[in-house]
Each structure stands twice: as structure tokens, then as C-alpha cells.
């Protein structure tokens, strides 16, 4: 008999817009977040940070059954120990929520949060508006990927490039290395094929098992989700705008 495949791992993906980041959401922030928010000079980046914190707190608060402002978010930089590293959930190891993992991404006016259990997750969304593909692609794509991109008709290249990009960044976020590893060293499958890692950067000491899924927010915002492990991934899409509007 053939062994039954394990059920897919569900990943909730929550989306919001920059317009949802109204000023009174600052009341959700903890002292560290508020300090970072107030120190961010660029108004757009300030609102993106606020929206990312608000989405994380509102969604995770519902999952953990606690007030959003009480959700224990932690940011510790792996290199310097400062409060600006990848955000994690600071719950005890014995907690029923200790296996909750999440990833935040924003680009343009879109903010996203991916949440799952039992595996690390990475989410990346990219804003396609105004990207100079010819300039940026050589810094992001491996030689084989770049050749395949340039073989495409010119009008297909922007969408294909963004799909490469979201896949790569979601993988690096899931395994926790961020952009410390060059994107060119990570090769992924052609945008027309199911998402998969084909080769890992030489700078990495080990290889990882990762499963991916592609999605879109709208016609100009492709996104990808990567999850560590061998279990295939299914995405559950949600809109956070109403939840943010309801928070008082």
C-alpha cells in the first residue's frame, strides 16, 4: 500500500493597506515599538511600521485570546542583540501557543502577515510599480535565472522578475537569515513552474527543507510564502482592514 500523504500545513495570510494605519493605532504599540515608530523620519515607513505592528497584534491577539496591546512581541537582533531583529512571539515554551510562528512583510501600500503552527514561515510581498527590472535583476537573480528572464518577451519580464524575488525573500525569511545571504546565490524554479528551491548559496553552512506557495494581493502585488519542513502548504487568505477599523 502507498502511504497516505500528510495533510497540508495551513498558513493564514492577512492583508491590510497603508490607509488602515490610522494614528490612534499607536495605542497598540509597546514602549520599544513606540520608540522606533517615533524615531522613523519617513512618513510612509512610519505608517508601514505602525500597520505591521497593528496587524500582528490584532490577528495574534485573537489567536491567543488576549488584548492586542498585550501580545508579547519580541525583537532581538541576532547580530547585536538590539531591539530591531525579526519579530517573534515571546511566550513560555510550555505554552499551547509556543509553536505559533509568523512573518510580516510590506511593500508599497500593502502590509501582510503570515501565521502558521509548528514550522518557521516567511512572507514576502513586492510592489511592482516603478521597479527597474533591467537594473535590479542582476543583483537579485542567479545567472541561469537572469538568462531565462531575458529570454522572455519584454512585457512579461516585470511580473516574472517579481515572482522570482518574492520566492527568494520568503525562503530567506523562513530560515531566518534575511538578506545576510545574497539573493543571487539562491536559485528558485521558473515562475511558470511550481515554486521550489533549486540550489542554495555557497555561503550557507547547511541546506534546508522548505515548501513554498505563491499568491497575489492584486495585479501589482505578487507575494510568496515559504515554510520550513516537507509538508505541502495551503494558504488561507484574510482581510485585516475591518479588524483594524473595529479596534478602539
Amino acid at each position: 500500500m502507498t502511504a497516505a500523504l500528510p495533510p497540508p500545513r495551513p498558513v493564514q495570510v492577512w492583508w491590510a493597506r497603508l490607509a488602515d494605519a490610522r494614528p490612534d493605532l499607536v495605542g497598540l504599540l509597546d514602549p520599544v515599538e513606540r520608540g522606533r515608530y517615533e524615531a522613523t523620519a519617513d512618513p510612509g515607513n512610519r505608517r508601514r511600521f505602525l500597520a505591521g505592528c497593528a496587524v500582528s497584534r490584532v490577528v495574534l491577539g485573537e489567536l491567543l485570546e488576549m488584548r492586542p496591546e498585550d501580545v508579547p512581541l519580541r525583537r532581538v537582533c541576532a547580530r547585536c542583540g538590539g531591539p530591531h531583529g525579526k519579530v517573534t512571539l515571546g511566550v513560555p515554551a510550555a505554552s499551547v501557543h509556543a509553536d505559533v510562528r509568523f512573518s510580516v512583510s510590506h511593500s508599497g501600500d500593502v502590509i501582510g502577515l503570515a501565521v502558521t503552527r509548528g514550522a518557521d514561515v516567511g512572507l514576502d510581498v513586492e510592489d511592482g510599480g516603478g521597479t527597474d527590472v533591467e537594473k535590479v535583476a542582476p543583483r537579485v537573480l542567479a545567472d541561469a535565472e537572469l538568462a531565462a528572464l531575458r529570454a522572455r518577451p519584454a512585457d512579461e519580464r516585470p511580473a516574472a522578475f517579481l515572482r522570482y524575488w518574492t520566492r527568494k525573500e520568503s525562503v530567506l525569511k523562513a530560515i531566518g537569515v534575511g538578506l545576510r545571504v545574497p539573493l543571487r546565490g539562491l536559485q528558485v524554479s521558473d515562475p511558470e513552474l511550481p515554486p521550489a528551491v533549486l540550489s542554495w548559496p555557497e555561503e550557507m553552512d547547511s541546506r534546508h527543507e522548505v515548501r513554498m506557495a505563491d499568491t497575489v494581493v492584486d495585479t501589482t502585488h505578487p507575494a510568496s510564502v515559504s515554510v520550513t519542513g516537507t509538508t505541502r502548504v495551503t494558504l488561507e487568505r484574510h482581510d485585516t482592514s475591518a479588524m483594524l477599523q473595529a479596534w478602539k
Side-chain angles (χ1 to χ4, degrees):
M1 293 179 59
T2 302
L5 291 174
R9 185 185 306 280
V11 179
Q12 297 182 17
V13 184
W14 296 79
W15 298 112
R17 296 284 179 168
L18 201 57
D20 297 322
R22 64 184 196 276
D24 60 321
L25 290 175
V26 173
L28 286 171
L29 306 185
D30 66 21
V32 172
E33 292 166 339
R34 187 178 291 242
R36 180 171 169 181
Y37 170 79
E38 293 174 348
T40 302
D42 179 77
N45 289 337
R46 190 185 308 122
R47 291 175 66 199
R48 290 183 190 93
F49 178 74
L50 174 60
C53 292
V55 169
S56 301
R57 290 187 169 279
V58 168
V59 172
L60 292 170
E62 185 150 312
L63 178 64
L64 276 58
E65 299 181 338
M66 62 174 57
R67 298 191 311 164
E69 55 268 41
D70 293 336
V71 173
L73 299 183
R74 299 288 181 267
R75 294 173 176 83
V76 179
C77 177
R79 286 180 289 182
C80 72
H84 49 259
K86 179 181 178 180
V87 60
T88 60
L89 192 60
V91 296
S95 167
V96 296
H97 301 301
D99 65 342
V100 173
R101 300 290 185 272
F102 62 98
S103 177
V104 180
S105 181
H106 50 71
S107 186
D109 74 335
V110 169
I111 297 90
L113 171 76
V115 185
T116 194
R117 286 183 176 270
D120 291 314
V121 61
L123 169 68
D124 188 64
V125 60
E126 296 295 339
D127 181 3
T131 301
D132 187 340
V133 173
E134 292 301 318
K135 180 179 180 179
V136 179
R139 302 201 299 264
V140 173
L141 303 185
D143 291 342
E145 295 167 335
L146 188 59
L149 181 75
R150 288 174 172 167
R152 290 174 174 271
D155 62 339
E156 295 181 8
R157 293 174 194 168
F161 169 69
L162 291 174
R163 180 54 69 200
Y164 277 125
W165 197 354
T166 62
R167 288 178 177 179
K168 289 176 179 240
E169 289 220 22
S170 72
V171 168
L172 297 183
K173 288 182 179 181
I175 63 176
V177 298
L179 296 181
R180 299 195 302 274
V181 172
L183 289 173
R184 291 192 78 252
L186 177 69
Q187 186 173 347
V188 297
S189 53
D190 186 271
E192 302 299 326
L193 299 176
V197 175
L198 302 184
S199 64
W200 294 93
E202 293 180 357
E203 294 88 346
M204 293 181 60
D205 296 330
S206 60
R207 303 299 179 256
H208 299 261
E209 290 286 357
V210 176
R211 294 294 178 268
M212 279 187 276
D214 293 330
T215 187
V216 294
V217 185
D218 53 38
T219 55
T220 60
H221 290 87
S224 296
V225 174
S226 292
V227 178
T228 56
T230 60
T231 305
R232 59 195 176 96
V233 174
T234 59
L235 304 183
E236 301 172 358
R237 180 186 176 113
H238 303 273
D239 191 327
T240 323
S241 297
M243 294 173 67
L244 294 178
Q245 290 297 325
W247 183 81
K248 300 296 182 182

